Amino acid sequence: MYRQVQQRLRSAPPRYWLVLVLVLFFIGLPTVITSFQASEWTLVLIFAIVIMGLNILVGYSGQISLGHGALMALGAYTSAILIHRYQVDYLVTIPIAGLVTGLIGFLLGIPALRLSALYLALATFALAVVTPSLIKRPAGLTGGVQGILISSPDPPQFAKDAFASVTSGPPMSSDQWMYYLSLISALVLFWLAWNLIRRRPGRALRAIRDREVAAASYGINIAGYKTMAFGISAFYAGIGGSLYGLAIGFVSPDTFPLALSFQLLVGTVVGGLASIAGPLIGGVFTFWLPIVSSQFVGSQSWIPAQIASVFQKAGPAVTYGALLIVVMIFAPNGVAGLIRTGYMRLQARLRGAGDRGTGQMPPDPQTV
Amino acid sequence: MQELIQQVVSGLASGAIFASLALALVLIYNAMGLVNFAQGEMAMFATFIAFTLIIHGLNYWIAFPLTLGIAFVAGVVIERVVIRPVERAPVLTLVIVTLGLATLVNGAAGFLFGYVPRSFPSPFSVQTINILGAFASFQDLSVIAVCGIVLIAIYLLLQRTTIGLTLRAAAHHPEPSRLLGVRVSWMLALGWGLASAVGAVSGIMVAPILLLEPNMMQTIIIYAFAAAVLGGIESPLGAVVGGLIVGLTVNLAGAYVPFVGGDLELAVALAIIVGVLVIKPNGLFGRAAVRNV
């Protein structure tokens, strides 16, 4: 038994160790940063969850959605309404929000079957634009323009004590509790996605994406898998949306503008389509880019204050747009793809010059 | 009755604006099978150029064609720089690139011109004129006239000139056209330039009605999508008819259906898009799609 474990550990590929290091890093992070910084990283994790869902849809099944902000809104409002009107425990509302959004996503997937990628992009884009005004309408339910306030969840006693004894400081704050809640959700959802992707459904989705007709002739249920991809993707968006509402403490129509759907797509593409690590990179990227870039510009004394203040509003859009174009032209597989090819080149070089140019296939060909 | 006619005229006016932008979408769709998500933002940027020219003292009727010229050149340049490298890429790539372009142009406009809404000068008086006992605003009628002239000009260009013929040939049959000496790739650029100029008309026409700011076209582009889809996305005539129908429907629904009101007009456009795509994906004037397996 012991020997078996030892052997498995020794033969584990390096990426397993990388995952372990990453998980430990994220578990330990709140003990060294402030509570406010933890709340920022919470949003990174939430973005990563939603982008993972979007990646299953865009990267693996080859369908496109520009309306994931709308699905996030659905998840967030499901949670908020359940908590606010029906006094449901917030922990229970998170999976409910996921399931409700997943169901709606599954239903959206049915008309989406009839649409080509282009029309699907168009319809979901329109959905993203219309969402804020659709939310405002049933004002009795959604609180209209004001939205709904959600009181920040209090961490359970055992978590407070454990955190205090580890850091030998104050007990766990609600921001830090939200962080761990998001981290647990992210771990579970990433693990699920990883299992989904490398087994039969993942292979079927990729087959459909690359050659629909060939996939059908192999007996793959095209309609079933495509709608399933939509449903799963929406499930992730719903969970992410629910956590998002809890983390920022309120939901309102303007919490979910078109720009949010955009940000999610940028994160998916820049992180790397059809990759498990991509969404995490994408989450870090989409959250930190606007903050870091505007802080950088603000700190440069040679830039006039007037220009700096304009940059803080327009800068992220310009950078997002330019990056989206540049990444699509030069690195269609995103940062994850760059790292993967870099690593494989390095390996080939380490194995010796003889191996070079043997035409090794990349694990996943260019997806879009 | 009085009010109905007024609503119809202003519906047709917004319809003409949607039609111009939808026509721009159709021009690019015909050239490369792509819906340009940046069309509205490009039009918005062109409107800002017109605005800058006008506040620097240029006459409206000089600034207007000048802006269209600038928009044309900009369209060609954008095609060469941004679209050319991904010309043969799958649709998904192209869609993402145009979305990137939309964000980029939107941000650039915010950066250069700021986010403060400005009122755009209009050469048309706001007074109403009396036609057969019904009052219609002069502004609306002029918008219809200007858009009509532009649409007819585009029609003549496409159907009655050699350039138009080569443009259509390159779009529909690229390989034979190349064999006959048409520079297909440059024709795509020309298509982008034309679309950019036609789109700019819609921006300049809509700016006095809405206020000019970087997000001005975000709703207009949705109506234009609805118009293009309704007309069958490859038909220029369909885009115009679709634009007018969408303009009328949205205006009348906003005025007479209490549930829709002012704030759900966009949802009407969404309903049109989804409804047409699900029930009759080829639209009113499109040909049935044939797929080789």
Side-chain angles (χ1 to χ4, degrees), chain A residues 165-297:
Chain A
S165 65
V166 169
T167 56
S168 59
M172 184 186 273
S173 70
S174 79
D175 282 344
Q176 283 155 339
W177 171 241
M178 270 317 295
Y179 174 89
Y180 281 111
L181 210 55
S182 309
L183 180 62
I184 294 166
S185 316
L187 285 177
V188 171
L189 291 173
F190 268 65
W191 179 73
L192 281 178
W194 187 55
N195 275 307
L196 181 87
I197 290 313
R198 58 191 194 120
R199 285 170 203 279
R200 181 183 272 265
R203 286 194 297 272
L205 284 179
R206 272 177 288 184
I208 294 171
R209 175 193 74 199
D210 294 334
R211 275 287 177 275
E212 197 170 309
V213 178
S217 69
Y218 273 87
I220 294 172
N221 179 354
I222 306 255
Y225 273 113
K226 275 186 149 179
T227 40
M228 182 198 78
F230 236 103
I232 292 175
S233 181
F235 175 76
Y236 278 64
I239 300 256
S242 167
L243 289 168
Y244 192 66
L246 286 168
I248 59 177
F250 70 95
V251 288
S252 78
D254 296 325
T255 319
F256 306 96
L258 177 65
L260 178 67
S261 298
F262 249 76
Q263 247 177 316
L264 294 170
L265 187 74
V266 174
T268 314
V269 170
V270 171
L273 286 164
S275 133
I276 293 289
L280 184 61
I281 302 171
V284 172
F285 173 83
T286 38
F287 183 76
W288 286 113
L289 174 82
I291 296 177
V292 170
S293 61
S294 57
Q295 267 172 1
F296 173 76
V297 171

